[in-house]
Amino acid sequence: MSLLFVLALLTSPPVVLLLLIGPPVRGWPSMEQAREWVQEPLTEQTLAGALTIGAWLLWLMLAYTVAMRVLVRLRETSAWLRRLPLPTPLQATASGMAGAAVFGVTTNALTTAPPQPPEASPVALQDEPPPDDPGEATHDDGIEVSGGWLPRDAAEQLAAAAALVWLRRRRDYQPRPTSRDDTDLAPLPPTVAAVQAALADTPTPPAALTTNGISALVEVLPAGGVGLTGPGALPIGRGMLVTALIARNRHPTTSLITTKAALASLLGPAAETLGRRLPLTIADSLDELVRLVHAANHSADPYTTMQRQDAAPREAGHRQIVLLDEGDGDETQVKHVVEASVATAAVVVALGDWPGPTWHADSAGYLHDPHQADGNGPRLCVLDQTAATDLLTIIALPDPAPPDPTTPRSSLPRAGSPDPRLPRQATRHEPRLQPHVPRQRPYLRVLGDPQLLIDGEPLAIRRSAALQILVYLATHPTGADTAQLTDAIWPGLPRRSLTGRLYTALSDLRGTIRAACGLHVIDHVDDRYRLNPAHVDVDLWHLDAAIDHAATTRINTSTAWQAVLDAYPADLAATRTWPWLDPIREATRRRILDICVSLATAEPDSHQAFQLLQAGIRIDPYNADLHKHASRALTALGNHEAAAELHDHYRQTLTRAGVDDPASHRLSPTIQQ
């Protein structure tokens, strides 16, 4: 309304003057007209001209005032845009409702289903990408990632396999007080991180809604095998490769046999290096494949037989899945494969033409049987080469080749205080490391369940992305830019589609904190966001100060170690499974273990040394080196029975977690790092 009033005020006077009187200047007056005006200045014509000129001057003053005001507003808006202010949630909601009303006013019926309320959505609150977002999305029956789609069951098993990778890294780490090897703290591949992020804050759907790609495949495919044609043939083949291998952890009676040609078609250049590390059987030809199918049906898993000499006979219910390529062998060899599959009840899938039934596979992963009226089959996992290689990396056995020392290592963030040089007190007493929470000053607790406390009461943060931003900035005290935040919170998605979601989460978070305590907790300078240490206190920063003090002190080491234990009540964001947390969480834990082993090694009293190691084991019950040091300490005390009990308890802990015992040299056919 203000804009309409200003426009009317600017346009109405000129229009009226032009219509009633005409333009203000019709030409310069002649000498005769000038003499007449001097002789008789106050005539009807001169008065009308003077009033007209006065009206135009008033309009010019008004136009000048408006123009100057517009320039001032433009300068203010430019500065405001540089600070990236965002609409409030109420304004955003009102704008969305107004837009929906405008576009839906002439529509009699909805063309798409209305969105669910945030409480009923299976994804994090208000963080679901729009339907046309090409990135990752979570549904009841599966998860979409950049490069494909996975059934929910397979995605959960892959997330469990990724967790096992970090447990094995914890198990194999050897604490060293002087130098630490952090080459194994590299983040997992982007597709794995995208799957973890999709499952991080979503509840598990009912079992009836979950889909197991392998079970669906075995149930619907015809006996003797089937050929898959169409744009989804190769993506479905890669999905079968991943789901069949990941299913071995839950269904060890499932085995996968393929050929070199098929593996090369599926994985491309990575087939040769990655194939020999996967728990599958690779045949050079179809004749060898037929022999392997018959052998696997009457004995142990071919992969297990090659790795273990004491393999047990195959238990009942064994299911073989055979992957073939279109160019594998001639018609006679293919016929032998068909006969072997019928005799052994193996499931053969040919990626291309097949002498038997041939189904069409679309790019979304749906199978279509052309001989049935309703030929729509189940939806199977579909992956491109990059996504399949990323997911197979966490299933494959460790690469025996040592890492290249010339390869540059990516620097991992050190979760510490904003000022690494903390001032020391002048007294001989130990510095106070317990946080002091003044009134109305927010206290961010990230060790354990992340919470922002104001006057001791947790502040309700509605958005999962906003909570992630707080924890991420707490672990990066020097700040993070927009690209770093979006890559961490929404891995695998294009940044251009995430900037608005990030700004919305930041605006809502900053507004909520400012309304609760009146402080600006998050600073934004030069496109970098950071926590203001003058306006917020973080428990992780106190832990870092305690670790630095314990690592450098030479007196009162027991007091310094106790301060570390007091400052470490639980792991970093222990209740969250955000994928970017794992390297930082493990790096923080390793700094504490280094101090533990250093103090225990320098401790002359075996009882005190064992107590130190016991505290370290409580922090990381999966570390093999800590248990080895603790067993030695008990043996030095002459308590051999307690040492044996400690070892047995450690093996039971690994078994419950699904991690193989490092003392065992047998290769398990289940998922390996």
Side-chain angles (χ1 to χ4, degrees), residues 361-412:
D362 61 21
S363 58
Y366 290 100
L367 300 180
H368 305 274
D369 185 359
H371 297 92
Q372 295 183 6
D374 185 12
N376 293 333
R379 189 181 188 185
L380 304 181
C381 178
V382 286
L383 298 169
D384 62 10
Q385 284 190 359
T386 302
T389 303
D390 286 351
L391 298 180
L392 290 174
T393 301
I394 65 170
I395 305 173
L397 295 170
D399 191 355
D404 187 2
T406 61
T407 303
R409 291 174 51 189
S410 59
S411 58
L412 293 171

Side-chain angles (χ1 to χ4, degrees), residues 17-244:
L17 291 173
L18 290 174
L19 291 177
L20 297 180
I21 302 176
V25 178
R26 291 189 177 91
W28 294 103
S30 61
M31 293 298 296
E32 184 65 24
Q33 291 174 335
R35 281 194 296 270
E36 292 178 358
W37 179 79
V38 171
Q39 293 174 359
E40 193 175 357
L42 297 178
T43 63
E44 182 179 354
Q45 184 178 4
T46 56
L47 289 176
L51 291 175
T52 302
I53 293 174
W56 279 108
L57 289 176
L58 288 176
W59 179 83
L60 287 175
M61 292 178 60
L62 177 64
Y64 172 79
T65 303
V66 172
M68 294 303 297
R69 187 61 180 170
V70 169
L71 291 177
V72 172
R73 285 291 183 91
L74 287 177
R75 284 197 296 267
E76 293 177 354
T77 303
S78 177
W80 176 72
L81 287 176
R82 286 195 296 269
R83 295 192 299 271
L84 292 175
L86 296 169
T88 64
L90 181 60
Q91 292 172 333
T93 303
S95 300
M97 294 174 63
V102 169
F103 287 103
V105 68
T106 60
T107 305
N108 295 326
L110 290 175
T111 58
T112 58
Q116 296 179 347
E119 293 78 4
S121 175
V123 206
L125 289 182
Q126 302 183 11
D127 290 325
E128 184 177 1
D132 56 348
D133 193 341
E136 134 221 42
T138 305
H139 307 287
D140 286 340
D141 59 343
I143 291 176
E144 292 183 3
V145 295
S146 178
W149 178 89
L150 296 94
R152 178 97 187 193
D153 183 69
E156 291 174 352
Q157 294 183 54
L158 284 167
L164 285 180
V165 170
W166 285 104
L167 283 181
R168 291 189 180 94
R169 292 179 177 181
R170 292 174 60 178
R171 177 202 64 190
D172 298 335
Y173 174 66
Q174 297 182 358
R176 293 293 179 266
T178 55
S179 62
R180 186 171 69 241
D181 183 14
D182 286 337
T183 55
D184 62 338
L185 287 187
L188 298 182
T191 308
V192 181
V195 173
Q196 290 178 295
L199 295 174
D201 295 298
T202 60
T204 303
L209 296 178
T210 60
T211 302
N212 187 337
I214 291 299
S215 298
L217 178 71
V218 171
E219 293 173 359
V220 302
L221 293 186
V226 65
L228 299 182
T229 59
L234 286 178
I236 285 180
R238 299 186 192 99
M240 288 179 53
L241 184 66
V242 171
T243 52

Side-chain angles (χ1 to χ4, degrees), residues 587-606:
T588 303
R589 187 187 295 113
R590 288 183 178 185
R591 295 182 64 206
I592 301 176
L593 297 187
D594 291 344
I595 297 175
C596 174
V597 172
S598 175
L599 295 178
T601 304
E603 179 60 52
D605 188 353
S606 299

